[in-house]
Amino acid sequence: ANAISKAEVELHQLWDIVGLGDDDRGRILSEIYQNINGVITSVLEEEQELCEQYKTRIAEAVAEVANLTSQLGEQKIVEGQRSGETLTQSVNRLDMDLLSIRERHKKRFDELDAIVNTIKTLSTTLGADVAENFETVGTDLTSDREVSLKEHVVELENEVSNRLSARSKLVNEMKDLMFELVMECETEIDKAVIDGGESVGLSIADLNALSNRSAELQQLKVERESKI
């Protein structure tokens, strides 16, 4: 305000020298003050917008902290703007909190995602669909969720082991039958069995096909023996 008043005095001094009339002086001063008011209004609007943006960032940060820590099973409620704290200080503090929480959240998510990928791999081996609640990690990153995932892995691993044993038994039975019947490979399954059976899948359909073919050979053996 002092600078403006000083400038106005200096202008009048110059106008006295120039000989500028009162009407022209008034018009010029009016334009100057309008421009000054416009600048002030613009700055105020920008600062008010910045203030609102900071308040929004604070609210979003508080919500994200609550959400991420809840997923980790350790819900944490943080203060927004503390007493005596500027908006900038609040934003900086919450940004630091969020950085740490996001890192822990990502690390935990990646740990559980590795287990989910193991479940998908085992399910594919078994030719089975992945159960709905094991398709993705989801938002539950607690220790209970980890236990549930690991228990399902054990179930699938046991099923894979059981089916490997069943396949091995069927393959050995078929080999013995094919040797006794002195027969050539007539089907893709026959060829797979002669090659060791490793290429035969572990799906229910694969094992059923192997079992059915073994039964066919067993029946053929019975028929041949009955003719002797």
Side-chain angles (χ1 to χ4, degrees):
N2 290 335
I4 294 174
S5 298
K6 181 180 178 182
E8 185 175 345
V9 170
E10 291 177 354
L11 281 172
H12 278 294
Q13 291 173 348
L14 291 171
W15 288 335
D16 288 339
I17 296 172
V18 173
L20 193 66
D22 291 341
D23 290 343
D24 289 332
R25 295 185 185 195
R27 175 181 54 78
I28 294 173
L29 287 174
S30 177
E31 291 177 357
I32 290 174
Y33 280 109
Q34 284 179 3
N35 289 335
I36 291 173
N37 287 333
V39 171
I40 292 173
T41 300
S42 177
V43 171
L44 283 173
E45 289 176 350
E46 290 176 0
E47 293 305 310
Q48 183 62 42
E49 182 179 355
L50 180 61
C51 183
E52 293 303 319
Q53 289 175 353
Y54 273 26
K55 289 179 180 179
T56 298
R57 281 181 62 184
I58 289 171
E60 290 175 345
V62 169
E64 186 176 353
V65 168
N67 180 43
L68 295 182
T69 53
S70 176
Q71 292 181 27
L72 292 168
E74 49 183 62
Q75 187 164 10
K76 176 182 179 183
I77 305 300
V78 296
E79 295 181 76
Q81 184 180 11
R82 292 173 177 171
S83 177
E85 195 175 55
T86 67
L87 290 175
T88 299
Q89 289 171 333
S90 298
V91 167
N92 291 339
R93 171 176 53 81
L94 289 168
D95 281 347
M96 292 297 294
D97 284 347
L98 266 178
L99 180 62
S100 173
I101 292 170
R102 283 170 178 166
E103 288 177 350
R104 289 198 296 113
H105 182 276
K106 183 181 184 306
K107 180 180 179 182
R108 181 60 172 166
F109 182 92
D110 290 345
E111 290 172 351
L112 298 190
D113 192 46
I115 303 176
V116 168
N117 286 332
T118 298
I119 289 173
K120 290 179 179 179
T121 299
L122 290 170
S123 297
T124 298
T125 299
L126 294 169
D129 293 331
V130 179
E132 184 177 353
N133 58 324
F134 297 117
E135 288 180 337
T136 61
V137 174
T139 57
D140 183 358
L141 308 182
T142 63
S143 57
D144 287 344
R145 174 62 168 166
E146 181 179 7
V147 169
S148 176
L149 290 170
K150 287 184 174 180
E151 286 178 346
H152 192 52
V153 167
V154 171
E155 292 173 1
L156 293 174
E157 287 175 338
N158 288 339
E159 183 63 21
V160 168
S161 178
N162 291 338
R163 293 192 191 184
L164 283 171
S165 296
R167 184 182 69 182
S168 178
K169 180 180 178 182
L170 288 168
V171 166
N172 289 333
E173 288 177 356
M174 277 192 62
K175 278 184 177 180
D176 291 342
L177 287 168
M178 293 176 73
F179 177 76
E180 291 180 37
L181 294 169
V182 192
M183 60 177 289
E184 299 291 334
C185 295
E186 298 177 355
T187 68
E188 289 299 321
I189 291 180
D190 294 347
K191 295 177 183 177
V193 167
I194 292 301
D195 289 337
E198 295 295 325
S199 62
V200 179
L202 296 178
S203 70
I204 295 297
D206 291 328
L207 295 182
N208 282 342
L210 196 59
S211 178
N212 291 337
R213 181 56 177 161
S214 179
E216 290 174 5
L217 296 181
Q218 184 65 44
Q219 180 61 34
L220 180 58
K221 176 184 176 182
V222 171
E223 290 174 359
R224 285 190 182 180
E225 288 177 344
S226 65
K227 294 178 181 179
I228 298 175

